[in-house]
Amino acid sequence: MARRDNEGHHGFAKEKGIMAGHSILYLGRGEFAADYLSELQTLPFCALLTRSAELEIPGDAPSVLDIVLLEAGPAIAQAGLSLSELIASLGDYPVIALTTRDREHRGIAAVRAGAQAYICIDDITVETQEALFEHAVQRHRMQQRLSETDVTVLSILRNINDGVIIVDDQGHVLDINPAARSILGLGPRTQPDATWAQMFCCIDENGDNYRNSADLPLMRAKSGEKFSNQVAVYRMPEQADTILSINGQGLYDGNRDLVGGVITFRDITDIARKTTELQKLAQYDELTTLPNRGLFTEHLARAIGRAQRKDAPLAVLFVDLDLFKSVNDTLGHDIGDSLLRQIAGRLRSNLRIGDFSGRWGGDEFVVCLEDFGEYSNAGAAAQKLLLVLSEKYEIGNAEVYATPSIGIAIYPDSGETADRLIKAADLAMYEAKKRGGGRFQYYSQALNTKLEQREELEVGLRHALVRREFVLHYQPRIDLTTGRLIGLEALLRWQHPRFGLLPPTRFLPILETSGLIHSAGEWAISSACRQLAAWQHRFELPDLSVAINLSPQQLMHERLVDAIADTLKNTAIDPGCLELEIGDGDIVRKRTKELDTLRSLRRLGVRISLDHFGTRDVSFESLDNGFIDSFVLDQSLIADIDDNDSHQRIIRAAIAMAQGLDIEVAAEGVETLSQLEFLRSCNCNLAQGYLISRPMQPEKVSAILRSEIAGTRLLARGMP
């Protein structure tokens, strides 16, 4: 290494331009640094101006001085000043403390007292020293410029809880506050060099490296860009990733010149992990831990892409348990839930690596088979599942048996999209059920017409509201004591442009699976309430009521309560005149979101009715919990009431129980006078059915209401 000319080493140069590198003042007696001083004079980036054994800057110190090297040794104590006082007295210059490795604590103390950095002179490399000098100078200049702008900024950044990093306009790190060091796992002696800025947050929130260094948060900030809540991953070797939320902006001096940038950040790792856990909960079925329908559909779409690239077949199996309801009805829902969990376990353990399954809903499961070879192998896999799933289940002290029906759809013959394949497999499964269940069925062209019709209906449903194709028909409900019409059940119909007037059995399942049930349901409730308000006003019938069916999916919708509240306000009807019928007794019993919705609806004053009573597993607790105002006896109980003693006993018991609980009872499907008289004899409150009236359009209801006012009863008029 070539030695610098000694001119100026011990005297002061008049102009900085005559000297290359950094102008240095050495404060110390040199008793432990003689060799270091000698070497320092040889370095091309150093110009040793003078030495001072008195640890103070000579009076003729030049304006060109860049760095003060301070011995962090015994001489400091001998000067009669504390370390912080001494460094403060040198505040016009960047101070670098000198120590040795065995006395490193002295260097750390100097940094804490205000020094820019420290050097262990016994193991410092030339390259590191050059970078350190440059960094110290730049950092000191930046601090001076910042202090001109706001004298409190440095104190603030050392005391706030967010991490703060300041860079100059070249991207050199000038300052890191204690919070940043803690978040990033940096010790108090760690001095990031100029390259560290390029490494910081080099991974984006997806775990990918930033493609362009200009996209790095620090680089964006020093360019003057202002941004907030930038998510990035801080990654260091052999350390767990830290997920950060970063804000950044440029720094300007008093003349509004851009002098660097600052980023503030906080550790959101725990929050991000909890968010991931919530996302997992949203993607996996809580009961079985299998992927839910959303996640399964995503996996299937990717599998279709792989099959397309490989030009290979792919099969979707739709699995539905036969007579699963009887398990719940006879053994209880806890046994039913355990059965579903065991079925999920058997699916997992009997699929090949690469195949995957999911829970579609209820007792329905879906399976994807990739690269299964011959067409017939899909059937062989289905047959294996039939045998495995039909084997005995031991749940507690109970032995349970369940047989599945399986539908098979093959890509690309049965469809080329995830949605199409699942629908085809579902349709094939229903065909297997029609043939007795406990078997599998391939989707075929013979079933294609049904699927195309279903898809046409689904497409049409997405426009039905806009095109005003939905209509409501109303079926009267009479008081069995007085014979008066006291309410109506609103029944949704679809006036299809090609298929004509469709009952809900044709399109309601599609509404529910497609998510359109929420908008259609809101329309039905709003329309029925407006019509009820018009009838109440026109015919002066303030107690006339309307009943509307709700699906479980509607009860899960966050807008349901608000939508009903808005409708009640806009129509000004008494909330007690609106009755919402729910068709699943499980909802009333389980402590779920549906239960919270029911609480909110009851607070509005709306009546809640349990539909299809007698065909569901409904406990006494369900009826005695205060949620149910009435229940509707299912028409299957009424249909053979004349000949079925068992049904007669069930009806008498149900009505007696309801009277004890102050619950109103209605009967649907009343078609004969003998059925009506039996219900009257049991003190049933209300009845509806073809004997009284078929569902009808609003205009015909108006005519009947007019007759009611005139004293003509529906039963006296006969069937309309």
Side-chain angles (χ1 to χ4, degrees):
M1 185 179 299
R3 183 176 297 273
R4 179 186 302 274
D5 190 332
N6 288 336
E7 182 181 358
H9 284 173
H10 303 287
F12 292 106
K14 302 299 182 183
E15 298 181 19
K16 187 175 180 180
I18 66 172
M19 195 173 296
H22 299 295
S23 303
I24 297 173
L25 170 65
Y26 186 95
L27 299 184
R29 299 176 180 176
E31 59 262 24
F32 76 98
D35 293 339
Y36 173 76
L37 278 172
S38 298
E39 182 64 21
L40 189 67
Q41 298 179 38
T42 70
L43 300 179
F45 54 85
C46 295
L48 187 61
L49 298 180
T50 192
R51 292 169 56 184
S52 174
E54 290 74 25
L55 303 183
E56 59 183 26
I57 298 179
D60 58 345
S63 60
V64 297
L65 186 61
D66 291 325
I67 299 172
V68 174
L69 296 180
L70 173 66
E71 285 186 3
I76 293 176
Q78 297 170 12
L81 297 173
S82 69
L83 187 59
S84 57
E85 290 172 336
L86 176 59
I87 293 175
S89 71
L90 304 172
D92 291 337
Y93 307 98
V95 176
I96 297 177
L98 301 178
T99 186
T100 56
R101 181 59 64 190
D102 61 340
R103 296 290 187 268
E104 190 173 2
H105 63 279
R106 293 175 176 172
I108 295 174
V111 171
R112 289 173 175 172
Q116 296 284 351
Y118 71 90
I119 292 174
C120 294
I121 63 174
D122 45 1
D123 63 1
I124 188 74
T125 65
V126 173
E127 293 77 10
T128 301
Q129 185 165 260
E130 181 177 14
L132 186 62
F133 283 4
E134 178 65 24
H135 172 76
V137 171
Q138 294 294 337
R139 180 181 179 190
H140 185 73
R141 289 173 181 171
M142 183 65 167
Q143 288 173 337
Q144 287 183 316
R145 298 180 78 172
L146 286 174
S147 65
E148 296 171 1
T149 305
D150 188 349
V151 295
T152 65
V153 66
L154 295 179
S155 125
I156 292 173
L157 74 88
R158 279 167 173 74
N159 289 284
I160 62 175
N161 293 324
D162 285 357
V164 181
I165 298 177
I166 298 175
V167 295
D168 64 13
D169 57 0
Q170 300 302 310
H172 301 139
V173 178
L174 301 178
D175 209 344
I176 304 177
N177 75 335
R181 291 181 177 277
S182 176
I183 294 171
L184 303 178
L186 301 174
R189 69 186 186 208
T190 305
Q191 297 296 323
D193 58 22
T195 62
W196 188 84
Q198 279 79 43
M199 295 188 295
F200 177 70
C201 292
C202 60
I203 302 167
D204 65 19
E205 59 183 313
N206 299 315
D208 300 322
N209 291 330
Y210 285 100
R211 293 186 176 89
N212 192 328
S213 62
D215 295 332
L216 293 167
L218 277 169
M219 298 299 101
R220 291 166 58 191
K222 71 117 174 144
S223 299
E225 181 180 349
K226 186 175 182 179
F227 56 89
S228 59
N229 300 321
Q230 169 85 42
V231 178
V233 180
Y234 177 68
R235 177 170 294 173
M236 292 289 285
E238 301 180 359
Q239 292 186 21
D241 289 351
T242 301
I243 304 174
L244 305 175
S245 176
I246 306 176
N247 302 316
Q249 64 180 39
L251 282 178
Y252 301 86
D253 62 15
N255 298 320
R256 300 301 300 164
D257 293 328
L258 183 68
V259 297
V262 60
I263 62 169
T264 63
F265 55 91
R266 60 185 55 188
D267 186 352
I268 60 169
T269 306
D270 289 342
I271 297 173
R273 287 173 179 166
K274 290 178 181 177
T275 302
T276 301
E277 291 173 1
L278 291 174
Q279 290 174 340
K280 185 176 181 180
L281 289 175
Q283 293 178 322
Y284 289 84
D285 176 61
E286 184 177 2
L287 178 65
T288 65
T289 70
L290 289 175
N292 61 16
R293 65 169 59 192
L295 184 59
F296 179 87
T297 303
E298 291 179 15
H299 288 338
L300 179 58
R302 288 193 287 269
I304 290 172
R306 292 191 293 269
Q308 187 178 31
R309 291 190 296 273
K310 296 178 182 179
D311 192 23
L314 175 147
V316 173
L317 278 57
F318 202 104
V319 183
D320 183 272
L321 300 182
D322 301 326
L323 304 175
F324 176 73
K325 180 180 177 299
S326 65
V327 176
N328 281 337
D329 291 347
T330 58
L331 300 176
H333 286 263
D334 290 340
I335 298 294
D337 289 348
S338 295
L339 175 60
L340 293 175
R341 282 192 290 267
Q342 289 198 28
I343 287 171
R346 292 187 185 185
L347 284 175
R348 288 193 192 92
S349 59
N350 286 277
L351 294 179
R352 304 169 304 160
I353 297 176
D355 299 336
F356 55 92
S357 59
R359 187 184 182 195
W360 197 248
D363 58 340
E364 297 174 334
F365 298 84
V366 280
V367 175
C368 176
L369 307 176
E370 296 189 65
D371 297 326
F372 58 85
E374 297 293 330
Y375 193 88
S376 61
N377 289 345
Q383 184 63 41
K384 177 184 177 182
L385 290 179
L386 282 172
L387 295 173
V388 169
L389 298 179
S390 299
E391 292 177 356
K392 179 179 66 177
Y393 298 86
E394 295 183 356
I395 305 173
N397 297 322
E399 293 184 357
V400 183
Y401 292 88
T403 59
S405 295
I406 301 177
I408 306 173
I410 306 294
Y411 170 86
D413 297 346
S414 304
E416 297 184 356
T417 66
D419 186 57
R420 175 85 181 195
L421 285 172
I422 292 170
K423 289 177 181 176
D426 185 22
L427 196 63
M429 181 274 296
Y430 276 109
E431 188 67 20
K433 280 188 176 296
K434 288 180 183 178
R435 297 186 179 190
R439 64 179 66 207
F440 67 86
Q441 174 70 47
Y442 280 97
Y443 176 79
S444 65
Q445 287 302 314
L447 298 171
N448 192 56
T449 301
K450 292 183 180 179
L451 181 57
E452 288 179 349
Q453 213 175 73
R454 176 175 169 176
E455 290 180 335
E456 183 179 352
L457 291 177
E458 183 173 341
V459 172
L461 280 171
R462 298 187 181 279
H463 306 287
L465 273 177
V466 177
R467 296 171 180 172
R468 299 182 178 180
E469 294 171 354
F470 285 132
V471 295
L472 290 177
H473 285 190
Y474 297 87
Q475 187 170 33
R477 185 176 288 176
I478 65 170
D479 186 321
L480 285 177
T481 302
T482 65
R484 293 190 64 86
L485 190 158
I486 56 98
L488 303 118
E489 182 178 8
L491 301 167
L492 186 63
R493 302 287 189 266
W494 181 14
Q495 190 65 53
H496 193 277
R498 189 159 80 90
F499 302 121
L501 190 66
L502 299 179
T505 53
R506 289 286 303 278
F507 61 87
L508 192 60
I510 303 174
L511 278 177
E512 292 176 339
T513 56
S514 64
L516 297 171
I517 188 66
H518 306 298
S519 55
E522 285 187 18
W523 175 87
I525 293 171
S526 176
S527 298
C529 288
R530 288 198 306 271
Q531 183 64 75
L532 178 65
W535 283 329
Q536 288 180 339
H537 178 74
R538 180 180 178 184
F539 301 108
E540 298 181 353
L541 296 171
D543 295 329
L544 187 68
S545 64
V546 66
I548 305 170
N549 287 283
L550 286 183
S551 72
Q553 288 86 344
Q554 286 176 274
L555 286 173
M556 290 291 292
H557 197 252
E558 59 186 11
R559 264 196 44 82
L560 177 67
V561 176
D562 290 340
I564 292 175
D566 291 341
T567 295
L568 293 173
K569 180 180 179 181
N570 294 334
T571 59
I573 66 170
D574 185 338
C577 294
L578 174 61
E579 182 174 306
L580 301 175
E581 296 185 355
I582 57 177
D584 193 349
D586 292 344
I587 294 173
V588 186
R589 187 174 61 214
K590 293 182 178 179
R591 303 294 175 180
T592 60
K593 179 177 175 62
E594 293 98 322
L595 196 58
D596 293 333
T597 302
L598 289 176
R599 288 195 184 96
S600 299
L601 291 172
R602 289 300 305 273
R603 284 195 290 270
L604 292 177
V606 173
R607 289 171 54 84
I608 304 297
S609 177
L610 189 63
D611 201 9
H612 304 300
F613 190 86
T615 64
R616 305 277 181 169
D617 178 31
V618 183
S619 68
F620 287 98
E621 180 188 357
S622 302
L623 301 175
D624 194 29
N625 62 12
F627 287 103
I628 302 302
D629 297 288
S630 65
F631 62 73
V632 182
L633 294 170
D634 190 78
Q635 59 185 351
S636 64
L637 292 174
I638 309 300
D640 58 353
I641 201 174
D642 295 331
D643 306 316
N644 194 321
D645 292 340
S646 176
H647 282 191
Q648 290 181 11
R649 288 194 296 271
I650 291 173
I651 291 172
R652 287 195 183 97
I655 294 174
M657 176 187 64
Q659 289 174 337
L661 296 173
D662 197 25
I663 292 175
E664 193 174 59
V665 181
E668 62 182 5
V670 180
E671 297 185 357
T672 68
L673 284 172
S674 62
Q675 293 169 352
L676 187 74
E677 291 305 321
F678 176 81
L679 292 168
R680 275 178 171 162
S681 71
C682 298
N683 295 317
C684 183
N685 304 108
L686 311 171
Q688 69 184 78
Y690 285 2
L691 176 68
I692 301 162
S693 174
R694 293 177 179 272
M696 64 188 76
Q697 297 174 346
E699 309 85 67
K700 293 185 178 181
V701 175
S702 296
I704 290 176
L705 291 174
R706 194 177 298 110
S707 300
E708 283 281 324
I709 295 172
T712 304
R713 301 287 181 262
L714 276 170
L715 289 176
R717 296 171 60 246
M719 293 174 61

